[in-house]
Amino acid sequence: MKEKLIEMLVCPSCSGAFIVEQVRYEHGDIKEGLLVCTSCNKSYKVLEFIPRFVDTDTYVDSFSFEWNKFYDVQMDILNDNDESERTFLWKTGWKPEDMQGKLVLDVGVGAGRFADVVSRWGGEVVGIDLSYAVHAAYKNIGRRDNVHIVQADIFNLPFRPETFDHMYSIGVLHHTPDTRKAFHAVVPLLKKGGEFAVFLYGHGHYHAFSDRWRRITTKLPITFLYYLSSIAVPLYYVHKIPFIGRAAQFLLPTANWPDRRWRWLDTFDWYAPKYQWKHTWPEVFQWYKDEGFGDIELYQLEKESSLSQVCMRGRKM
Ligand SMILES: C[S@@+](CC[C@H](N)C(=O)[O-])C[C@H]1O[C@@H](n2cnc3c(N)ncnc32)[C@H](O)[C@@H]1O
């Protein structure tokens, strides 16, 4: 944790400022310490360079497992490609110049694939996550000067209102108990004039079958499901067979990325999370309006993806 993060943080219980005690530094960062609220005296640990505002990963344990197992798979810098950068471009509509010099909140940072992009584009990014994905994110990008990683819950974040210039949440809010409430919980943290981009699941063609499978898979032991999800690796070749492939994809949808670890990860990511809500773009558009946003734009992919995904961005008025 960088010292400059302390000024951005406030006590999630009473919004008091923090002082840090019992500090142990390593390579200039706070490796361990205690954030003590100067107002209510509550304290929160800094462990392994990460301030912790939650005690457990509760319902997101599958993400703790997933992002530490597959910490490197979607990181452009570790794979010498620009897959995540291109994805960030089309999911948010932002370009590098939009992030330059801005303070940006990544709501649900995972292993840090998009925070990596924002930081390389010259933004200062704070990535929060409820799960132990924060360990993977810290390992991947946490030592950069313009990156901060915090373990915290969307519903109780330790920041002052109107702290951030921009915010984004990619594939996260629908994995909380209530997507709409999660959306509502983060809006106050955005400055007026700032933009908020979200990516949410929509109602896709394949979901009828995968939703049925999920009734079983979400109850399986995580390690078992991890090995089971590797079925996506050979199924990729089955999906290429005319007619049979299409039928197989309908009956048992699995990820189809050319990279074998990526399709294993994405298949696990689909079948493991406890919550996985789906939304429509008019519904999400209304949320933006109700929260006082303007300049609302819908970013859509062509073909079937426009149904299975909602990418939207708005400006807080
Ligand atoms: C599918 S992952 C997406 C991660 C990242 N945005 C990405 O696209 O690679 C969803 C993330 O949301 C996080 N998450 C779910 N509920 C959360 C909550 N209440 N507070 C903070 N993070 C949460 C999970 O721990 C998980 O890392």
Side-chain angles (χ1 to χ4, degrees):
M1 175 180 137
K2 277 117 213 145
E3 277 189 332
K4 63 176 167 176
L5 179 65
I6 300 171
E7 286 155 35
M8 277 182 235
L9 294 171
V10 291
C11 174
S13 300
C14 75
S15 301
F18 283 122
I19 51 164
V20 61
E21 294 177 353
Q22 302 169 30
V23 190
R24 204 156 73 76
Y25 289 93
E26 202 173 294
H27 55 72
D29 285 353
I30 299 172
K31 182 175 185 191
E32 274 163 30
L34 206 58
L35 289 161
V36 182
C37 174
T38 51
S39 177
C40 72
N41 223 27
K42 260 197 167 170
S43 61
Y44 301 88
K45 287 183 184 146
V46 180
L47 291 174
E48 288 301 317
F49 303 101
I50 301 165
R52 316 285 177 151
F53 292 94
V54 287
D55 296 326
T56 78
D57 56 354
T58 65
Y59 66 87
V60 289
D61 52 343
S62 71
F63 287 114
S64 295
F65 180 94
E66 171 180 327
W67 293 124
N68 285 292
K69 267 280 183 235
F70 295 106
Y71 73 92
D72 57 331
V73 174
Q74 299 181 327
M75 298 299 296
D76 287 357
I77 40 162
L78 300 177
N79 295 288
D80 199 22
N81 63 28
D82 64 353
E83 192 68 52
S84 290
E85 183 165 6
R86 284 189 294 112
T87 306
F88 188 75
L89 271 166
W90 71 252
K91 283 188 174 171
T92 66
W94 280 321
K95 299 184 187 60
E97 55 271 28
D98 298 317
M99 296 291 106
Q100 186 77 41
K102 303 291 187 202
L103 182 62
V104 183
L105 181 66
D106 182 330
V107 182
V109 68
R113 65 185 289 211
F114 298 119
D116 163 48
V117 174
V118 172
S119 104
R120 285 190 281 115
W121 284 1
E124 179 161 4
V125 58
V126 180
I128 68 96
D129 205 290
L130 177 57
S131 75
Y132 297 108
V134 289
H135 297 160
Y138 187 84
K139 176 155 71 176
N140 283 334
I141 51 171
R143 284 182 65 176
R144 293 184 197 169
D145 266 354
N146 61 352
V147 173
H148 310 274
I149 304 296
V150 178
Q151 192 178 10
D153 186 351
I154 285 169
F155 295 99
N156 197 23
L157 287 176
F159 304 102
R160 287 191 184 84
E162 307 203 359
T163 293
F164 297 97
D165 297 313
H166 295 309
M167 306 193 308
Y168 61 89
S169 186
I170 302 182
V172 174
L173 304 182
H174 51 235
H175 289 309
T176 69
D178 187 321
T179 316
R180 175 70 185 93
K181 283 189 182 149
F183 187 94
H184 176 74
V186 294
V187 168
L189 306 182
L190 182 63
K191 286 181 186 163
K192 289 214 167 64
E195 292 182 322
F196 184 26
V198 297
F199 164 85
L200 297 168
Y201 291 153
H203 300 274
H205 300 319
Y206 295 114
H207 295 169
F209 278 98
S210 69
D211 283 351
R212 287 202 186 104
W213 285 115
R214 274 181 47 80
R215 282 185 215 152
I216 302 167
T217 59
T218 51
K219 294 181 183 68
L220 295 174
I222 287 174
T223 316
F224 180 64
L225 184 60
Y226 164 70
Y227 288 112
L228 199 59
S229 305
S230 68
I231 197 170
V233 175
L235 271 182
Y236 173 74
Y237 301 101
V238 176
H239 292 160
K240 287 181 183 300
I241 304 170
F243 304 113
I244 295 171
R246 188 93 174 140
Q249 183 66 331
F250 258 105
L251 293 172
L252 177 58
T254 52
N256 252 338
W257 294 89
D259 181 297
R260 54 184 282 285
R261 289 190 69 217
W262 196 306
R263 53 184 188 270
W264 185 351
L265 154 62
D266 252 11
T267 300
F268 179 84
D269 184 270
W270 190 260
Y271 287 105
K274 177 165 169 125
Y275 299 108
Q276 191 206 67
W277 308 110
K278 280 98 178 174
H279 300 280
T280 63
W281 72 259
E283 187 186 4
V284 181
F285 186 82
Q286 192 59 46
W287 300 350
Y288 273 97
K289 284 186 75 176
D290 292 347
E291 299 286 346
F293 281 81
D295 298 344
I296 306 163
E297 290 188 64
L298 177 65
Y299 296 90
Q300 289 293 19
L301 284 178
E302 66 292 0
K303 302 178 290 180
E304 65 200 44
S305 334
S306 60
L307 278 177
S308 59
Q309 312 181 339
V310 180
C311 300
M312 211 171 277
R313 195 180 90 198
R315 184 181 302 283
K316 193 171 171 185
M317 297 298 177

